[in-house]
């Protein structure tokens, strides 16, 4: 039986690594992407890593006629829906663009899945749905909080839409994976995170600073109530996160009218200063950094309880922050070698 899986946003950061892991586990990933936040060169990286030409449908997930055609031509058994805009700050400036892209793409997808009898969905959610947690680690029972950004709100709305569609006995079986902070790159250095603009996330800013593309990193505050005063996050290697998607697809097999959400993290908190120090160690580079003021909206500390992940998927992360930073640096060095100009450098 064909194991075609539609991977929307499959040319993006997490999607591309998931495509590699899907192929490794006998699935046949089919990428749907409009390259609004990725480069076509990702397809070459995928081919070099896997030795296979991955099927690509170039188009917009909000376009129902296009999506219907993709489903008719490929008859997928499931979908992993990564396609979305993801820049928190930008979402505050352009809320309509974020609601349109992130919510309409999901609605279109669910309509087409229903019409074409495709029943398994893995959805990219985020730990942002927990807001500022009252208790750590954050379990799936922790209350969600009103999102502080339109981006965060799109994830909460999307989870609700999926839950309601399952409750309507549509036959859909879905899991929302609530990611913590994905970092790192493929160990070959052939695919990785490729910010098309000045990165707002920590690790790409660190690697770009070490590579001389940025003057210095600003650490956003060292006066938090944490051991070294800087924020704490749960940084998960993108390869581990990719594997979690494959495990979730396996888990969904045979289920009907089913919905759940699962934290995907390591269970371990790491501070911003620890990231900087570990990066300096693994890259053998001195990082130019300064301590700045707090970034509005930053949560003091958050890391996942992984009990449910272990219990439900019978799996846990295997890779380390140290390894992720090494892989991120290797990827950055490769970008520099290829003189890729899409790093917010004009
Ligand atoms: P990314 O921007 O690298 O990848 C998203 C991909 O989707 C891109 O290739 C982009 O071109 C494509 N895309 C966007 N809108 C599209 C549309 N309408 N039609 C077709 N293609 C479209 O982002 P990522 O980091 O890989 O994130 C993937 C998913 O995970 C997103 O839903 C994001 O919100 C979620 N997520 C990411 C993080 C993170 O830190 N990276 C954390 C939590 C959740
Ligand atoms: C952010 C989003 C989150 C989203 C995720 C992925 C917020 C509040 N949260 O998570 O919803 O899912 O990105 O896109 O925006 N830092 C610095 N200097 C920098 C960059 C970051 O000190 O130049 C610090 C931040 O203050 C934070 C940590 O590094 O403590 C991680 O930041 P980042 O990579 O942006 O991720 P989050 O803020 O955790």
């Amino acid at each position: 039986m064909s194991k075609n899986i539609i991977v929307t946003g499959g040319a993006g950061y997490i999607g591309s690594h998931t495509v590699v892991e899907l192929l490794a586990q006998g699935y046949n990933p089919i990428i749907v992407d409009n390259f609004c936040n990725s480069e076509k060169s990702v397809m070459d990286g995928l081919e070099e890593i896997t030795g296979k030409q991955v099927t690509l449908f170039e188009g917009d997930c909000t376009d129902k006629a296009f999506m219907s055609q993709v489903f008719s031509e490929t008859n997928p058994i499931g979908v992993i829906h990564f396609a979305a805009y993801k820049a928190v700050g930008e979402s505050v400036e352009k809320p309509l663009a974020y609601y349109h892209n992130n919510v309409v793409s999901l609605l279109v997808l669910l309509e087409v899945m229903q019409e074409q009898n495709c029943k398994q969905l893995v959805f990219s959610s985020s730990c942002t749905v927990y807001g500022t947690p009252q208790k750590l680690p954050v379990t799936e029972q922790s209350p969600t909080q009103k999102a502080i950004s339109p981006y965060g709100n799109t994830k909460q709305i999307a989870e609700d839409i999926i839950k309601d569609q399952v409750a309507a006995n549509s036959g859909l079986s879905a899991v929302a994976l609530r990611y913590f902070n994905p970092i790192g790159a493929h160990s070959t250095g052939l695919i990785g995170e490729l910010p098309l603009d000045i990165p707002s996330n920590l690790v790409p800013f660190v690697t770009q600073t070490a590579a001389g593309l940025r003057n210095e990193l600003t650490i956003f505050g060292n006066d938090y109530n944490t051991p070294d005063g800087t924020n704490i996050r749960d940084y998960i290697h993108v390869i581990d996160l990719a594997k979690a998607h494959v495990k979730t697809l396996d888990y969904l097999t045979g289920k009907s009218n089913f919905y759940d959400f699962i934290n995907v993290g390591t269970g371990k908190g790491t501070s911003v200063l620890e990231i900087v120090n570990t990066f300096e160690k693994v890259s053998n580079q001195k990082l130019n950094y300064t301590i700045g003021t707090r970034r509005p909206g930053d949560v003091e500390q958050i890391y996942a309880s992984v009990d449910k992940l272990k219990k439900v998927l019978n799996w846990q992360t295997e890779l380390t922050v140290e390894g992720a930073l090494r892989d991120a640096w290797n990827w950055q060095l490769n970008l520099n070698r290829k003189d890729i100009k899409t790093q917010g450098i004009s």
Side-chain angles (χ1 to χ4, degrees), residues 15 44 46 64 79 97 112 128 139-140 146 161 196 216 245 266 268 275-276 290 306 318:
D44 302 331
L46 287 175
K64 188 163 176 197
V79 180
V112 175
T128 190
T139 71
E140 289 78 357
K146 188 176 166 15
I161 292 171
L196 299 187
E216 64 178 11
H245 289 79
T266 66
K268 189 176 164 292
I275 290 284
V276 168
T290 178
V306 291
E318 290 154 348

Side-chain angles (χ1 to χ4, degrees), residues 266-279:
T266 66
K268 189 176 164 292
T270 304
S271 75
V272 178
L273 261 178
E274 284 172 325
I275 290 284
V276 168
N277 294 336
T278 308
F279 176 80

Side-chain angles (χ1 to χ4, degrees), residues 21-43:
E21 298 306 321
L22 283 167
L23 279 165
Q25 296 308 317
Y27 286 100
N28 181 34
I30 291 152
I31 295 179
V32 178
D33 207 298
N34 63 1
F35 296 99
C36 66
N37 198 37
S38 47
E39 288 283 309
K40 292 251 171 74
S41 59
V42 169
M43 301 305 298

Side-chain angles (χ1 to χ4, degrees), residues 38-310:
S38 47
E39 288 283 309
K40 292 251 171 74
S41 59
V42 169
M43 301 305 298
D44 302 331
L46 287 175
E47 193 173 340
E48 218 173 316
I49 293 170
T50 64
K52 292 185 181 125
Q53 206 156 16
V54 181
T55 308
L56 165 71
F57 285 83
E58 186 174 348
D60 195 312
C61 294
T62 63
D63 177 345
K64 188 163 176 197
F66 163 70
M67 289 301 283
S68 297
Q69 192 181 346
V70 172
F71 273 72
S72 303
E73 283 184 29
T74 59
N75 199 17
I77 57 165
V79 180
I80 307 180
H81 185 44
F82 291 107
Y85 294 152
K86 63 162 182 177
V88 176
E90 188 186 56
S91 78
V92 178
E93 288 152 33
K94 301 178 184 165
L96 296 186
Y98 271 69
Y99 284 113
H100 183 86
N101 198 44
N102 295 8
V103 179
V104 175
S105 64
L106 176 68
L107 290 175
V108 164
L109 182 66
L110 291 175
E111 284 167 14
V112 175
M113 286 178 75
Q114 180 160 292
E115 283 161 17
Q116 307 221 13
N117 207 24
C118 176
K119 297 203 182 296
Q120 294 174 22
L121 173 67
V122 183
F123 175 71
S124 299
S125 190
S126 166
C127 69
T128 190
V129 299
Y130 296 115
T132 301
Q134 268 139 29
K135 266 184 32 199
L136 290 167
V138 179
T139 71
E140 289 78 357
Q141 274 86 46
S142 305
T144 57
Q145 287 180 25
K146 188 176 166 15
I148 39 178
S149 71
Y151 165 75
N153 205 18
T154 67
K155 295 298 176 192
Q156 294 190 340
I157 292 169
E159 285 197 12
D160 283 345
I161 292 171
I162 295 167
K163 195 171 64 192
D164 289 346
Q165 175 67 352
V166 170
N169 284 327
S170 58
L172 179 69
S173 60
V175 170
L177 296 179
R178 293 177 172 170
Y179 312 158
F180 283 66
N181 289 54
I183 59 168
H186 195 264
S187 58
T188 57
L190 291 166
I191 53 171
E193 193 167 7
L194 188 56
L196 299 187
D197 223 325
I198 299 172
S200 55
N201 290 117
L202 177 63
V203 169
F205 208 103
V206 164
T207 59
Q208 289 194 5
T209 305
L213 302 174
R214 312 263 157 232
N215 289 334
E216 64 178 11
L217 167 79
T218 302
I219 293 182
F220 297 138
N222 68 349
D223 56 352
Y224 286 97
N225 186 22
T226 59
D228 65 23
T230 64
N231 285 160
I232 289 175
R233 297 286 182 272
D234 187 337
Y235 295 95
I236 173 172
H237 197 302
V238 67
I239 296 290
D240 271 334
L241 181 55
K243 287 183 175 158
H245 289 79
V246 183
K247 292 280 171 197
T248 307
L249 272 181
D250 294 343
Y251 172 66
L252 282 172
T253 307
K255 290 194 167 48
S256 184
N257 290 322
F258 176 85
Y259 174 67
D260 208 352
F261 44 87
I262 305 174
N263 289 343
V264 192
T266 66
K268 189 176 164 292
T270 304
S271 75
V272 178
L273 261 178
E274 284 172 325
I275 290 284
V276 168
N277 294 336
T278 308
F279 176 80
E280 288 187 330
K281 196 176 91 189
V282 300
S283 66
N284 215 8
Q285 300 284 313
K286 197 86 201 97
L287 193 72
N288 200 12
Y289 73 87
T290 178
I291 306 292
T293 52
R294 293 181 176 196
R295 180 172 67 176
D298 268 342
V299 166
E300 182 168 278
Q301 46 181 323
I302 184 164
Y303 49 93
S305 159
V306 291
D307 292 349
K308 186 168 177 182
L309 178 75
K310 284 189 201 163

